[in-house]
Amino acid sequence: MSEPDPSPHHTGRRALIGAAGVSGLALGAMALAARPAHADESSLTPVHAVSDAARLVASRTDTIADGTLVQLAGHSEPGDGGGRLVRFDATSTADDNGGTVLRPHDRSGRTRPGRWITLHAGTGDFRWFGIRGADHDADDALDALVADPTISRIEAHTDLNFTRRHRFTRSHLVLDFGGHTMTTDRIEAADEDDPFAAVLCFRGEVTDEVHEHELSETMPELRDDYPVGSSDGFRVGQWWALEVNALTGTWERELQRLVRVTQIVDPTHIRVDHKLGWELDAGRTLSWRRIEPVEQVHVRNLRFVGVAGGDQFTGSHPIAYEYAVHCDVENVHGEATFWPLVMRRWGTHFTTRSCSLTNPASVTWGGAGYLTQQIYCNYGHVVDCHTSNARHLNDWTASSYGLVENCHGDGDDQGPFVTHGQYEHDLTYVQNSGLMTFANSGAAWGGAAKRITVIRHVCSWFVARVKVIDLSLQDVQVIAKDGLDGSGMLWINADGAQLRGCRADDTLVISQASESSGRPTVIEDCDFATLAGSSVIQDSVTSPIHLVRTTLTGLDDVAFAGSGPILLDQCRLDGDSGGRLSVAGDLTVRGGSLTGLGLVATAAQDQHVRLSETDVTGQPSGDALLSRADGDGTVTWELRGVHSTATGDIRHATVDTGVNRWTAVGCTFDGGSLELTEDAFPDEGGWVRHSDNVETAVDRISLPGKGKNVLVEHNLTL
């Protein structure tokens, strides 16, 4: 090889060759030889070569021209993955970070002028910093890469260990760990109760710009144009943390969201990208605080191993976002985490995809052991995720318009799918499996959720018992699990709940904690076992309950204890070992069947019992298919087209106490006996109309035959 040209654009090459050695000469020759044959050599900048960063920074810089390019063969040694192109900046005084900025020095360590700056196309690499595995802590490298605004993508090509909990505010960044493992050996202690003490926490900036407005009139739900008093302080595209003042004496807030201004409607109204989920009364105060959010920061392809047995101080987790927009997480798989694998608060427009969590450090500490928790979040999508032996797979807290699909939890006794009960609304779950509970964290936060839809779900326990309004369930299967108390139970709030094609192995429970919906509670095409001695419809229920083409089995001393009306349309109710079903409210049965079941009107209030085109049969305990208790209410019985079959001493009906009104028209009574005592149908308030019926081998033990309110005629007795 010929001697270097002494022209100015080769100044300093001898110094570099001296530092680089033979390998540097070879690489330099290759770089120069790669020039196009037709190029004007006088217009090209040569690329020199050095074997490693140590040799580079040890080179003298007083004879190196500004802008000199050097190709590193590696960071610590050639081929270690840290190879990169660097440029000499003779005037730079930037801090040496060991990777993207290198400071020249002499053998004694004294700094020489200038800096070597890594050139790149926007992708940073931990190997530039000599990180070749978890035996070298990667904290400083991470800080340097994130702090470089010219880097939009950070890649890991080896396992990494972190000892610090990092908080960043920058946007527009992808962190791709290439499927490698992140560990946190010797990580610093976290503050008390801080789920944002993640290895990677990205947080938007909270400004001092605040606007408050008291509502002068009720603001209805599903509005997206908000009164602000004066819209002068708002601009389209701004982000604001919006919340309503808490209800008196509690933490209840119906609205806490990060919203974007989309329109200045008029001098006193603005439009934002969130439809209000709950009606707000006049006198409530809306508070707006302007946010500069983190945007488009994505974390991908990571295996995370936390601190086994860690607690809130010593434990670790990988990812947290606060005041973040369009920040996605994909293909992150964790174990031994403490706080959620992916923690979000004040976030919107995001996806958590193909993530998993196995055996977290705790499943009993509040907030610990989750795959993901979203607080005050909007427009989230959690898809294709999985947990094993974790606390919660997905938790929506004070969040809305979210979708969870194809997510599954095994070892699910702690409940993979939950909402907190801080006025969540418009959440949808599709094709998931795992225990599910909604609005379960207590009245202090409101205990409320609205418009939750669950489709094709399989679980061992489903509870939505508090103020869960307009719940929609389709093809939800609740399967009993050995060793798990309460499994096989489906429990709903009778406030607009609608179920179709659902099943529960152990029991159905209907209670009522609210009365807000305009739609009826309807259970259609479902199949439920019942628990002996239980109240399927609890005494708190005052709203109508409609069961359509639904089967209830195992009815044994079971109660419909609510005072609201009940409609059974083409349903099948089966007793267990001569079971009894007591009913407190009005009951209408259209078609269907009551088998092996004694139907008892409690008479705790005036009530109607109507049976139409229904098959009634069996041998219930109490010896009567239809009877009443000793309550003070008047019971009005209305049987039309009923086919009742009794055997032996079983009575079709025993009505022998209280005040009653009996109508049986066009019915068929086969076998058994009939007991309607005259005292139970007093002239004042009672009546009997028993006509146009067919009685086959029926023993009339007692049937009023006279009185001004008695009509017994045109019956065919065989």
Side-chain angles (χ1 to χ4, degrees), residues 224-558:
D224 56 18
D225 55 326
Y226 287 71
V228 291
S230 172
S231 59
D232 288 344
F234 297 86
R235 298 291 181 270
V236 171
Q238 289 179 331
W239 290 93
W240 295 79
L242 168 62
E243 63 181 3
V244 68
N245 62 303
L247 298 173
T248 303
T250 70
W251 296 303
E252 296 181 64
R253 298 179 193 265
E254 302 94 322
L255 174 62
Q256 291 170 287
R257 300 291 186 278
L258 180 63
V259 300
R260 181 175 180 266
V261 179
T262 61
Q263 182 184 1
I264 306 301
V265 177
D266 59 39
T268 60
H269 292 79
I270 64 172
R271 193 180 309 281
V272 302
D273 64 345
H274 173 73
K275 292 187 182 298
L276 181 65
W278 301 81
E279 181 178 278
L280 301 178
D281 293 334
R284 302 293 296 282
T285 298
L286 295 178
S287 297
W288 306 74
R289 181 179 291 274
R290 194 172 65 80
I291 303 296
E292 295 288 348
V294 164
E295 299 188 58
Q296 295 182 330
V297 175
H298 312 305
V299 181
R300 298 173 181 163
N301 305 320
L302 170 67
R303 179 174 178 260
F304 181 87
V305 179
V307 179
D311 57 24
Q312 61 170 322
F313 304 106
T314 63
S316 62
H317 62 298
I319 304 162
Y321 294 102
E322 189 171 27
Y323 302 108
V325 177
H326 294 119
C327 292
D328 300 337
V329 176
E330 182 176 6
N331 198 28
V332 174
H333 306 282
E335 58 185 88
T337 55
F338 185 78
W339 295 117
L341 184 80
V342 183
M343 180 71 200
R344 300 181 187 269
R345 186 166 64 189
W346 294 103
T348 186
H349 300 292
F350 59 85
T351 297
T352 301
R353 180 183 298 274
S354 300
C355 296
S356 68
L357 174 63
T358 302
N359 299 324
S362 174
V363 294
T364 57
W365 185 278
Y370 299 10
L371 187 147
T372 184
Q373 181 175 36
Q374 294 98 181
I375 303 176
Y376 319 147
C377 286
N378 219 12
Y379 305 124
H381 187 195
V382 180
V383 58
D384 297 337
C385 294
H386 192 274
T387 57
S388 294
N389 309 317
R391 184 182 178 114
H392 301 323
L393 189 156
N394 185 90
D395 183 353
W396 298 112
T397 297
S399 298
S400 55
Y401 302 112
L403 172 62
V404 181
E405 58 179 334
N406 196 35
C407 293
H408 306 277
D410 55 60
D412 65 351
D413 295 2
Q414 295 293 327
F417 302 96
V418 297
T419 70
H420 193 260
Q422 285 183 260
Y423 296 94
E424 297 84 24
H425 64 93
D426 296 286
L427 303 172
T428 301
Y429 300 79
V430 180
Q431 194 68 48
N432 304 298
S433 66
L435 193 151
M436 184 170 272
T437 64
F438 294 146
N440 64 342
S441 294
W445 288 275
K450 181 188 294 184
R451 290 189 296 272
I452 296 180
T453 299
V454 182
I455 300 171
R456 295 190 300 278
H457 191 91
V458 177
C459 60
S460 56
W461 193 27
F462 186 107
V463 176
R465 65 182 178 82
V466 290
K467 292 185 287 187
V468 180
I469 302 162
D470 288 345
L471 174 70
S472 297
L473 307 183
Q474 179 178 327
D475 297 328
V476 172
Q477 311 297 313
V478 186
I479 300 169
K481 178 180 177 181
D482 290 344
L484 178 60
D485 291 341
S487 69
M489 174 181 62
L490 193 158
W491 191 343
I492 62 171
N493 177 38
D495 193 3
Q498 298 198 349
L499 285 62
R500 173 174 291 179
C502 298
R503 162 195 161 202
D505 280 353
D506 195 55
T507 191
L508 169 70
V509 180
I510 304 171
S511 59
Q512 186 167 1
S514 58
E515 192 173 358
S516 300
S517 178
R519 71 181 194 178
T521 294
V522 179
I523 300 173
E524 188 173 5
D525 299 319
C526 295
D527 179 11
F528 301 108
T530 59
L531 189 64
S534 67
S535 291
V536 170
I537 301 175
Q538 295 194 342
D539 57 10
S540 58
V541 177
T542 59
S543 295
I545 304 294
H546 298 226
L547 279 74
V548 182
R549 295 184 302 276
T550 289
T551 298
L552 297 177
T553 59
L555 294 162
D556 185 4
D557 292 327
V558 168

Side-chain angles (χ1 to χ4, degrees), residues 36-99:
H38 58 78
D40 179 2
E41 291 194 8
S42 66
S43 66
L44 298 178
T45 301
V47 179
H48 307 287
V50 174
S51 62
D52 56 72
R55 290 177 179 271
L56 177 70
V57 298
S59 63
R60 295 184 58 182
T61 58
D62 52 354
T63 58
I64 298 177
D66 185 40
T68 296
L69 300 179
V70 175
Q71 177 65 47
L72 291 179
H75 184 84
S76 301
E77 59 185 31
D80 66 4
R84 58 197 183 276
L85 184 66
V86 297
R87 176 183 179 275
F88 184 64
D89 186 334
T91 62
S92 175
T93 59
D95 291 339
D96 186 334
N97 61 30

Side-chain angles (χ1 to χ4, degrees), residues 494 510 512 515 520-523 537-547 560-569 583-590 605-610:
I510 304 171
Q512 186 167 1
E515 192 173 358
T521 294
V522 179
I523 300 173
I537 301 175
Q538 295 194 342
D539 57 10
S540 58
V541 177
T542 59
S543 295
I545 304 294
H546 298 226
L547 279 74
F560 289 173
S563 60
I566 301 163
L567 169 64
L568 306 178
D569 190 349
V583 181
D586 290 348
L587 174 66
T588 300
V589 182
R590 297 175 184 166
Q605 60 181 356
D606 291 348
Q607 65 181 125
H608 286 70
V609 178
R610 303 179 181 90

